[in-house]
């Protein structure tokens, strides 16, 4: 990173007679030539390491796995930090920085996105911090601090705020006297990537993954010897391929020093032409939606056919982002699912559909970063989701983007998808409570924009904290009032009752906070549809056609004995 030039102190000389002054100048010149002058101070440096996150999260530690590096948005270089608050975690990222005692340092960082805080602890004097409530453009946070007489290191931190969206940070500076690290060191050429393997394939795409390389800030992926794409992480999906065709792939690592040698090449073949999306299945008037986990996080591991018949819509969680903005792919985690094979999974989709169930692919989740913010990414999203529908037979898509959504371009993407898939397309959404507080929010605008093709919005009434109800009063999560007064906002804001569902965790382990017993969910449904079993809040009218309820997840439900469903 850049270093800030510091001031140099000039020595003062007492007034002397002319001859003495001349001699003093000569003496000073002589001392300078012989290198004996020692009063000039070295320039200040940025003592933060990996200040621009060009080396991933090296030198940084983020709470609860909340941090990751991204290639967009960035303020400078090729990477920036993205940290996502979730539940009781505020996405705090820290670095221990070497400093000098009794010294003053300027602390700054550029931030964007949700609520962002910047501060320092352990200064030995007064610790400082500063913050911003969020910005759609890069904003500079700045403050300063002085170290104590015995302080040789401080902890610099950034963090977001509970229930708010992800924040981005870049170009952190702790500018002042060199604390012993000498400022940023130039990168060295990264090693050659290893472990390149092919994963999920469709008729037009192949997913690739490889092992991380220390010091790499990016990777280049080659198809048949020609660069096909770049990636900041250790995976990429190559699209635009021909069905049932073999391709050769290799990958190299890059950073500011240059590009490594290419990895050993592998060969992978695209899938044969499939049979298209699954059969259109009517969603019941009152439907129960459950998310099925394509990973093992301690909940019961399930095959699709293990999911109880009580679930009418099963959202397969989750599709993965690719190196192409907006595009997604999917790969079954066979190893994590006790050897559940791709062939079994595909067969089970058909079995469930034959039983009248809709199987859809969910996009996003807490850690999913899929950005649809221009025409190209909207088209890539629609094309890639439709390709998954053709390949696996999914009935539709679930939008569970918890890291921001652009209503203009997500609307375009979903309308393009609808044009491809036809009238049987199932579209569900799972916004957080903050996303549906106002019709001016991007999620709410998207739902209203696609009201004619939207199936249901199952808002997440958990990991939230207190929120405003439609009557302007504040309600705490975990109560009948919280469910009914917040659902009322959507019902009065323009959504049809058949497009409103209540999303809650299936067990106390399914979310950081917000679990309510099934009896509370039933009471809320009774209150909204019949006007009975309400708490202190009672809606001005009833909504008999309310769609139903959703839970995270069918796996956590199974862990708790399927009490929720």
């Amino acid at each position: 990173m850049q270093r800030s030039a510091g001031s140099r102190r000039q020595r003062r000389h007492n007034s002397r007679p002319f001859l003495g002054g001349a001699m003093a100048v000569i003496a000073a010149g002589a001392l300078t030539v012989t290198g004996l002058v020692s009063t000039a101070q070295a320039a200040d440096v940025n003592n933060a390491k990996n200040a621009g996150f060009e080396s991933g999260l090296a030198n940084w530690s983020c709470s609860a796995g909340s941090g990751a590096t991204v290639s967009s948005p960035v303020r400078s270089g090729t990477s920036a930090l993205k940290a996502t608050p979730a539940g009781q975690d505020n996405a705090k990222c820290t670095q221990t920085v070497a400093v000098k005692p009794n010294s003053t340092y300027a602390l700054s960082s550029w931030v964007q996105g949700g609520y962002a805080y910047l501060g320092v602890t352990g200064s030995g004097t007064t610790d400082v911090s500063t913050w911003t409530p969020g910005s759609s453009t890069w904003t500079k946070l700045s403050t300063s601090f002085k170290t104590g007489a015995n302080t040789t290191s401080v902890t610099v931190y950034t963090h977001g705020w509970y229930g708010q969206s992800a924040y981005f940070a870049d170009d952190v500076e702790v500018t002042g006297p060199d604390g012993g690290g000498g400022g940023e060191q130039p990168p060295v050429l990264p090693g050659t990537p290893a472990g390149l393997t092919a994963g999920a394939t469709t008729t037009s795409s192949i997913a690739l993954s490889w092992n991380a390389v220390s010091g790499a800030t990016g990777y280049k992926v080659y198809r048949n010897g020609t660069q096909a794409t770049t990636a900041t992480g250790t995976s990429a999906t190559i699209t635009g391929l021909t069905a049932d065709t073999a391709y050769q792939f290799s990958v190299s690592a890059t950073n500011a020093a240059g590009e490594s040698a290419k990895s050993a090449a592998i060969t992978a073949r695209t899938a044969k032409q499939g049979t298209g999306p699954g059969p259109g299945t009517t969603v019941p008037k009152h439907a129960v939606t459950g998310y099925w986990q394509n990973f093992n996080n301690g909940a019961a591991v399930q095959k699709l056919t293990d999911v109880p018949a009580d679930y009418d819509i099963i959202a397969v969680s989750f599709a993965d982002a690719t190196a192409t903005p907006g595009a997604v792919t999917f790969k079954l985690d066979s190893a994590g699912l006790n050897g559940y094979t791709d062939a079994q999974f595909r067969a089970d989709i058909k079995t469930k559909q034959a039983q009248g169930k809709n199987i859809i692919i969910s996009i996003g989740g807490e850690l999913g970063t899929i950005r649809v913010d221009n025409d190209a990414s909207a088209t890539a999203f629609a094309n890639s989701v439709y390709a998954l529908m053709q390949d696996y037979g999914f009935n539709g898509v679930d939008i569970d983007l918890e890291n921001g959504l652009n209503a203009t371009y997500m609307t375009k993407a979903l309308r393009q998808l609808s044009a491809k898939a036809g009238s049987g397309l199932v579209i569900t959404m799972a916004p957080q409570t903050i996303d549906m507080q106002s019709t001016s929010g991007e999620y709410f605008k998207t739902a209203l924009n696609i009201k004619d093709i939207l199936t249901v919005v199952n808002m997440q009434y958990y990991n939230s904290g207190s929120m405003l109800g439609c009557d302007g009063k504040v309600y705490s999560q975990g109560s009948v009032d919280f469910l009914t007064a917040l659902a009322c906002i959507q019902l009065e804001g323009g959504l049809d009752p058949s497009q409103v569902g209540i999303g809650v965790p299936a067990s106390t382990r399914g979310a950081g906070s917000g679990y309510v017993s099934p009896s509370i969910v039933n009471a809320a449904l009774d209150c909204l549809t019949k006007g009975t079993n309400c708490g202190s809040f009672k809606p001005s009218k009833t909504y008999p056609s309310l769609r139903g309820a959703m839970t995270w997840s069918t796996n956590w439900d199974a862990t708790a004995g399927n009490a929720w469903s």
Side-chain angles (χ1 to χ4, degrees):
M1 303 310 296
Q2 294 181 342
R3 300 180 182 181
S4 300
S7 61
R8 295 180 177 270
R9 294 182 181 176
Q10 301 297 322
R11 290 206 296 173
R12 294 185 178 180
H13 300 274
N14 294 325
S15 298
R16 295 177 180 269
F18 176 77
L19 180 59
M23 293 299 292
V25 171
I26 293 171
L31 289 172
T32 300
V33 171
T34 57
L36 298 178
V37 174
S38 61
T39 55
Q41 292 186 337
D44 288 345
V45 301
N46 181 12
N47 291 272
K49 303 297 184 185
N50 190 24
F53 303 94
E54 302 301 312
S55 298
L57 293 180
N59 301 104
W60 293 91
S61 177
C62 296
S63 60
S66 57
T69 53
V70 295
S71 59
S72 178
V74 297
R75 193 219 163 224
S76 68
T78 59
S79 299
L81 168 70
K82 177 182 181 179
T84 308
Q88 301 303 308
D89 178 63
N90 64 0
K92 187 174 185 178
C93 297
T94 62
Q95 180 180 148
T96 301
V97 178
V99 293
K100 279 190 173 182
N102 293 323
S103 301
T104 299
Y105 290 85
L107 173 64
S108 66
S109 177
W110 290 83
V111 297
Q112 186 180 148
Y115 281 62
Y117 291 72
L118 173 70
V120 63
T121 60
S123 63
T125 58
T126 301
D127 293 340
V128 298
S129 66
T130 183
W131 69 287
T132 178
S135 172
S136 59
T137 59
W138 286 105
T139 301
K140 189 174 186 180
L141 293 177
S142 301
T143 185
S144 63
F145 64 93
K146 185 174 182 180
T147 55
N150 299 309
T151 304
T152 57
S153 69
V154 297
T155 298
V156 172
Y157 65 84
T158 63
H159 69 72
W161 197 246
Y162 310 99
Q164 301 302 311
S165 60
Y167 69 90
F168 302 87
D170 203 356
D171 298 337
V172 179
E173 293 197 16
V174 186
T175 304
D178 187 351
E184 289 275 55
Q185 300 299 315
V188 296
L189 198 68
T192 302
L196 177 62
T197 57
T201 63
T202 71
T203 56
S204 61
S205 67
I206 296 176
L208 302 171
S209 62
W210 53 89
N211 298 335
V213 175
S214 177
T217 58
Y219 300 90
K220 292 183 179 181
V221 182
Y222 292 86
R223 181 187 69 213
N224 295 342
T226 301
Q227 183 178 322
T229 189
T230 60
T232 55
T234 56
S235 63
T237 298
I238 310 303
T239 59
L241 307 180
T242 302
D244 197 21
T245 302
Y247 294 89
Q248 191 176 73
F249 300 98
S250 59
V251 62
S252 65
T254 62
N255 65 12
E259 180 180 2
S260 73
K262 296 177 185 176
S263 69
I266 64 167
T267 299
R269 180 178 291 273
T270 49
K272 295 181 180 180
Q273 191 67 43
T275 57
T281 302
T282 302
V283 176
K285 179 180 179 181
H286 300 300
V288 175
T289 301
Y291 286 81
W292 176 85
Q293 297 178 189
N294 180 39
F295 51 87
N296 184 351
N297 64 348
V301 173
Q302 292 181 313
K303 299 176 181 177
L304 275 182
T305 48
D306 295 331
V307 177
D310 302 291
Y311 288 98
D312 304 294
I313 302 174
I314 302 171
V316 173
S317 311
F318 293 99
D320 298 311
T322 75
T324 302
V328 297
T329 188
F330 176 78
K331 179 182 180 181
L332 188 73
D333 182 15
S334 296
L337 302 183
N338 299 334
Y340 189 30
T341 68
D342 184 75
Q344 288 176 305
F345 174 72
R346 292 170 184 267
D348 288 351
I349 290 176
K350 291 182 172 59
T351 298
K352 278 293 186 182
Q353 289 169 336
Q355 297 168 357
K357 310 303 179 183
N358 283 277
I359 313 300
I360 62 177
I361 182 67
S362 183
I363 312 296
E366 176 188 351
L367 304 178
T369 305
I370 293 95
R371 300 185 68 84
V372 179
D373 52 12
N374 55 39
D375 286 325
S377 58
T379 298
F381 180 91
N383 288 344
S384 61
V385 171
Y386 186 61
L388 291 178
M389 292 176 63
Q390 288 182 303
D391 192 22
Y392 286 90
F394 295 127
N395 298 102
V397 65
D398 170 67
I399 307 301
D400 184 18
L401 297 176
E402 300 178 18
N403 301 303
L405 180 150
N406 183 303
T408 299
Y409 294 104
M410 181 52 72
T411 298
K412 289 186 176 182
L414 293 174
R415 290 211 171 273
Q416 288 182 45
L417 178 61
S418 177
K420 294 173 178 291
S423 59
L425 178 67
V426 174
I427 301 178
T428 68
M429 301 174 72
Q432 300 173 97
T433 53
I434 191 68
D435 296 321
M436 301 298 285
Q437 285 277 283
S438 167
T439 54
S440 64
E442 295 298 293
Y443 242 111
F444 213 142
K445 286 195 292 186
T446 302
L448 294 175
N449 287 348
I450 63 164
K451 185 176 176 180
D452 58 313
I453 57 173
L454 174 66
T455 305
V456 62
V457 175
N458 293 304
M459 189 174 77
Q460 302 177 39
Y461 292 75
Y462 50 96
N463 292 342
S464 168
S466 300
M467 286 287 167
L468 290 172
C470 65
D471 57 355
K473 295 180 180 179
V474 176
Y475 293 96
S476 299
Q477 67 180 4
S479 66
V480 171
D481 289 335
F482 187 75
L483 302 181
T484 55
L486 269 67
C488 174
I489 296 175
Q490 300 171 60
L491 293 164
E492 293 186 356
L495 291 181
D496 188 86
S498 66
Q499 296 174 319
V500 176
I502 295 176
V504 294
S507 73
T508 55
R509 297 175 63 189
S513 64
Y515 171 76
V516 293
S517 68
S519 63
I520 297 294
V521 181
N522 284 330
L525 294 172
D526 285 344
C527 179
L528 292 167
T529 59
K530 304 175 184 177
T532 61
N533 291 328
C534 298
S536 62
F537 171 81
K538 187 172 183 177
S540 59
K541 61 180 179 179
T542 58
Y543 307 91
S545 61
L546 193 82
R547 179 66 77 174
M550 170 276 282
T551 196
W552 176 266
S553 61
T554 65
N555 305 75
W556 284 119
D557 189 19
T559 305
N562 290 318
W564 190 90
S565 56

